[in-house]
Amino acid sequence: MTDSLDILIVGAGPTGLACAIEAAANKLKLLVVEKGVLVNSIYNYPTTMTFFTSRERLEIGALPFPSLNTKPHRAEALEYYRRVAEFYRLPIQFQERVMGITGADGEFHVQTETSEGRSGEYITKKAIIATGYYDLPNLMGIPGEDLPKVSHYYVGPHPYFRRKVVVIGGANSAAVAALDIWRHGAEVTMVFREPALGTNLKYWILPDIQNRIKDGSIRTLPESEVKEVVPGSVCVHRKNVEVLHLENDFVLALTGYHPDFDFLTDIGVEIDPKTRRPHCNSETLESNVPGIYLAGVIIAGMDTNEIFIENGRFHGKQILADILKKI
């Protein structure tokens, strides 16, 4: 138990850090609680990842992002956000998960648990939820999805050298992973539901993957779904007619991710049953629970392509403008 805080921020991603910077600039007593490490989602991105956006659109707190590349790499982003946290001396509790929030506006009780199993509690006047979405993959719900050879995250190409890999998905992350592991010696088959790749791929990825498909380097199975994963193979239904059994060593199920809706509903935030968007005032970003604010991609529900670092970084100013009127 600690003295009462003005603001507790759940999540130390770029959006959570931007909120913390605004709170610190206004001399409020704050704490950021993060279940993992600083910018945990970026840390878990592929080690060779290049951002889709330019360096200036990743900046927070008016600190320049020094990079030799127009589109920075993961390692550069990790270094930048470490510098931000140090420059503003942001108070952050790492490896501590928020388990629940009770109480009411002006006196919320935030229950936490550390990675070592220790329970804790903080009292805060206001809370900001900036938990992102990358930690919860969209599961396929098929037999064998829990086998060790299946992963919903792509870290790097080395384990797939001279192995047969099925990449499930047709979006940017799937295309990037397929290209990367093929270039590092893997035999790659992409399985996706759409008739073809291309509708949502970034312009610099599209010609590369199209050329690899055209020359036969990467095999694709459009209008197809993996229905079962077993040791040594996967079962694919193609166009709801043809059934294929592909010899296989690894499966990268890059089928997207979603926010922690259960946590939001547990603390009283209302969620639209169709869009999965939480109730949120578009001007103040306050939820239907007075005193609890939402920041970043969780505002968009299942449409996780709507909010990125480049627009979520401004949520702190919106939220603090409202909090300062009420605190």
Side-chain angles (χ1 to χ4, degrees), residues 5-276:
L5 302 164
D6 292 317
I7 298 177
L8 184 141
I9 300 164
V10 186
T15 298
L17 296 180
C19 293
I21 290 168
E22 290 298 321
N26 286 282
K27 311 299 183 184
L28 298 181
K29 186 174 182 180
L30 75 130
L31 179 68
V32 183
V33 179
E34 166 58 52
K35 68 180 181 307
V37 300
L38 187 74
V39 290
N40 196 67
S41 293
I42 296 175
Y43 174 73
N44 285 301
Y45 285 168
T47 54
T48 57
M49 191 209 77
T50 299
F51 279 86
F52 295 145
T53 193
S54 55
R55 56 181 179 262
E56 67 273 7
R57 300 183 72 184
L58 299 174
E59 294 173 352
I60 58 175
L63 285 184
F65 190 143
S67 172
L68 297 177
N69 306 293
T70 302
K71 293 180 172 58
H73 300 152
R74 166 187 172 274
E76 293 177 305
L78 293 177
E79 172 64 22
Y80 171 72
Y81 291 117
R82 287 197 299 268
R83 288 178 53 248
V84 168
E86 283 295 300
F87 181 84
Y88 286 103
R89 299 180 180 179
L90 300 179
I92 308 172
Q93 287 290 110
F94 295 113
Q95 305 292 335
E96 188 168 359
R97 181 184 292 272
V98 172
M99 307 301 292
I101 300 176
T102 58
D105 190 11
E107 189 177 317
F108 288 111
H109 292 251
V110 181
Q111 296 81 39
T112 68
E113 185 176 286
T114 69
S115 58
E116 297 175 339
R118 294 194 304 271
S119 298
E121 182 175 276
Y122 302 97
I123 299 175
T124 184
K125 296 175 184 176
K126 308 287 184 182
I128 301 174
I129 313 300
T131 48
Y133 72 103
Y134 193 62
D135 298 310
L136 294 172
N138 297 329
L139 299 179
M140 300 176 290
I142 61 174
E145 188 170 11
D146 58 348
L147 288 175
K149 72 172 184 175
V150 180
S151 176
H152 290 275
Y153 296 90
Y154 175 63
V155 177
H158 184 73
Y160 309 112
F161 174 66
R162 292 185 178 175
R163 311 305 295 274
K164 294 179 172 63
V165 183
V166 167
V167 177
I168 303 173
N172 288 290
S173 57
V176 168
L179 288 166
D180 198 23
I181 60 177
W182 168 74
R183 289 197 164 95
H184 289 83
E187 181 181 316
V188 184
T189 300
M190 295 186 71
V191 178
F192 47 91
R193 295 177 178 178
E194 296 77 16
L197 290 173
T199 54
N200 295 313
L201 293 186
K202 301 298 182 181
Y203 67 88
W204 62 90
I205 298 172
L206 181 58
D208 193 1
I209 191 70
Q210 286 179 330
N211 288 332
R212 301 296 73 75
I213 293 169
K214 185 177 180 180
D215 65 21
S217 299
I218 293 176
R219 181 187 183 188
T220 59
L221 294 176
E223 298 182 272
S224 302
E225 289 186 65
V226 173
K227 292 293 187 179
E228 184 178 12
V229 181
V230 298
S233 69
V234 296
C235 176
V236 178
H237 287 203
R238 191 174 190 194
K239 298 182 180 180
N240 296 318
V241 177
E242 185 179 8
V243 178
L244 303 175
H245 295 275
L246 305 179
E247 185 179 346
N248 166 263
D249 299 304
F250 291 101
V251 175
L252 289 173
L254 304 180
T255 50
Y257 310 91
H258 63 271
D260 191 346
F261 299 118
D262 290 340
F263 174 75
L264 293 177
T265 55
D266 286 347
I267 64 175
V269 176
E270 297 173 357
I271 304 241
D272 184 277
K274 292 183 178 180
T275 66
R276 306 298 288 160

Side-chain angles (χ1 to χ4, degrees), residues 268-270 278-281 284-294:
V269 176
E270 297 173 357
H279 181 97
C280 181
N281 183 302
T284 66
L285 302 186
E286 188 173 22
S287 73
N288 61 282
V289 181
I292 293 184
Y293 295 78
L294 307 179

